[in-house]
Amino acid sequence: MTPVERLFALEHFGIKLGLAAMHTLLAELGQPHRAWPSLHVAGTNGKGSVSVMTSAALSRAGLRVGRYTSPHLFRVEERIALDGEAVSEAVLSAALGRVFGAADALIARGELAEMPTFFEVSTAAAFVIFTGAHVDVAVVEVGLGGRLDATNVITPVAAAITTIDFDHERHLGTTLGAIAGEKAGIAKFGVPLVVGDVPDEALHVIEGLARQAGAPVTRARHDATVADALDEGHARLTVKTPAGHYGPVRLGLAGAHQAGNALVAIRLLEAFAAVTGVRVPAEAVSGALADVRWPARLEWLRHPASGARVLVDAAHNPAGARALADYLATTGTSGLTLVTSVMADKNVAGVVGPLLPFVDRVVVTAAVLPRATDPAVLAAQVTALGPAHLAVEIEADPARAVARALALPAPVLLTGSIYLVGPLRASLVASGFEGA
């Protein structure tokens, strides 16, 4: 069994929140997470976008940058990037070999009761890779929550919380305050914490917990002048803060919500510069915001021969669905054929409901994952949510579901679960679809 195969075998054991195993594992590995300064990014939505914006700006400033994000779309190597490029399978395998070797030794000595989880092992591997690559800084995205997330072993230079909304309630709580409390668990003494646009209930909790931890809080919009307008679904942004002037810049990532993510990235970069003394020029920030790409985030694909068009978006929770619906409304996009799968622990009304005004037909399928809702059950839920004229079809095989949708003249909307979107996007690209 290869190290990557061994990693995927751990998926069977699911999620285990807590930091004890990570501290033990990293000590055995020589504390690789202490070899470089870091930035820590949490939030319900937007943390991936902020991470990629921030890391791209740091690279443009001439720094060697590591980036750790999750989940991946198609290849596990996508989670770990050096200067914006995913590491190779060989590099990941070597790091995993070290991590598994350390874990095996700890288990043999009785210092670990069981093998760490998929996420703990992949996180430790990322830290090993960043140390071996001698990165100047690493941008680390939280996996789930914050307080008990495996990434929360780092002591970053600065941190951010992008948004707070409902998702993963089974693990994080059923109120915005409870969810905010878990996210605010990344706050650490003396570490600046940038907070994006969050509800008042969440802000109150975040500021209270940050105060207890001794972490200074900067609201992203505080003392900032922000001018933004939409340009064919992309925000055109100008930002002035006490530390800098950025733009005007047309954001490379589509959607009005990306203006808020860009502002969080800007303030996080300013906090990094203030603490480290490493200047990130405004032109590096603006260039990164303009050029950055993040697959399956409001991404249009088009087949050059057939002209078929697919909008791919990893909207897997209510907040993501609302952002997607807002994009469809502002761009006047309608009459779509929706191909979707939703995990059984998700709010189907929140994930699918906002999209139904923009679609004429839904093809329900199932991501290849035990947690995926049975297509017949999901179809019944979608039918109950939609108008009487909405056509809802069932095709259990995801590839055939997309093929069925592409046979129709309408553009296709592919969304609902990243475990559906990732493999199908890869298949579309392999069959000749290109960025539109």
Side-chain angles (χ1 to χ4, degrees), residues 32-125:
H33 60 306
R34 297 180 181 175
W36 26 264
S38 60
L39 296 171
H40 206 190
V41 184
T44 302
N45 284 351
K47 58 185 184 289
S49 296
V50 169
S51 295
V52 73
M53 291 173 178
T54 303
S55 57
L58 291 166
S59 291
R60 281 177 171 261
L63 301 178
R64 175 80 159 149
V65 183
R67 188 187 73 221
Y68 181 58
T69 55
S70 62
H72 57 276
L73 276 177
F74 186 61
R75 297 173 57 248
V76 68
E77 292 85 359
E78 298 166 14
R79 294 175 179 238
I80 306 168
L82 296 171
D83 294 329
E85 295 294 327
V87 299
S88 67
E89 183 177 352
V91 168
L92 177 60
S93 292
L96 287 173
R98 282 195 57 194
V99 175
F100 280 124
D104 289 338
L106 289 165
I107 292 171
R109 298 201 303 264
E111 295 177 39
L112 276 182
E114 59 187 357
M115 183 61 62
T117 66
F118 177 103
F119 189 70
E120 288 169 334
V121 170
S122 62
T123 301

Side-chain angles (χ1 to χ4, degrees), residues 119-426:
F119 189 70
E120 288 169 334
V121 170
S122 62
T123 301
F127 295 169
V128 167
I129 289 170
F130 295 157
T131 299
H134 304 289
V135 299
D136 297 310
V137 60
V139 180
V140 178
E141 178 191 354
V142 168
L144 176 62
R147 181 175 64 92
L148 298 176
D149 185 74
T151 65
N152 203 27
V153 294
I154 63 174
T155 301
V157 168
I161 297 174
T162 56
T163 62
I164 299 291
D165 214 306
F166 292 103
D167 198 12
H168 299 294
E169 289 95 329
R170 183 163 63 92
H171 297 287
L172 304 181
T174 57
T175 67
L176 292 178
I179 294 168
E182 292 298 319
K183 308 286 186 187
I186 68 169
K188 294 179 177 65
F189 181 79
V191 177
L193 179 64
V194 176
V195 181
D197 294 328
V198 303
D200 290 343
E201 177 187 350
L203 181 63
H204 176 75
V205 172
I206 291 169
E207 291 185 328
L209 291 174
R211 193 179 307 113
Q212 292 177 25
V217 172
T218 297
R219 301 184 195 181
R221 291 192 182 273
H222 181 67
D223 286 340
T225 301
V226 181
D228 64 281
L230 280 179
D231 177 4
E232 296 182 339
H234 291 250
R236 187 173 292 278
L237 188 68
T238 301
V239 176
K240 294 182 182 179
T241 74
H245 180 187
Y246 312 88
V249 56
R250 185 180 187 269
L251 300 184
L253 298 181
H257 62 288
Q258 293 294 355
N261 290 333
L263 182 59
V264 171
I266 287 169
R267 303 311 295 264
L268 183 59
L269 288 163
E270 290 179 345
F272 169 80
V275 173
T276 64
V278 177
R279 180 172 174 266
V280 184
E283 56 269 25
V285 177
S286 295
L289 296 179
D291 292 344
V292 74
R293 298 293 182 268
W294 198 222
R297 276 72 175 179
L298 294 176
E299 179 188 28
W300 279 103
L301 299 177
R302 181 181 180 277
H303 197 283
S306 68
R309 299 170 71 231
V310 181
L311 176 59
V312 185
D313 191 66
H316 61 282
N317 57 32
R322 291 195 302 271
L324 172 54
D326 180 64
Y327 170 81
L328 296 174
T330 57
T331 55
T333 305
S334 62
L336 300 166
T337 298
L338 170 63
V339 177
T340 191
S341 171
V342 180
M343 295 297 106
D345 59 345
K346 297 291 184 178
N347 177 348
V348 172
V351 173
V352 178
L355 309 178
L356 296 183
F358 306 95
V359 306
D360 290 342
R361 184 179 299 270
V362 181
V363 182
V364 171
T365 187
V368 185
L369 204 71
R371 287 197 299 120
T373 301
D374 179 88
V377 173
L378 182 57
Q381 293 172 313
V382 172
T383 299
L385 288 169
H389 66 271
L390 181 67
V392 180
E393 304 175 11
I394 299 173
E395 175 49 73
D397 180 82
R400 287 200 293 265
V402 170
R404 180 184 293 194
L406 287 172
L408 301 169
V412 175
L413 172 60
L414 174 59
T415 190
S417 169
I418 199 165
Y419 298 103
L420 175 80
V421 167
L424 289 181
R425 179 191 179 277

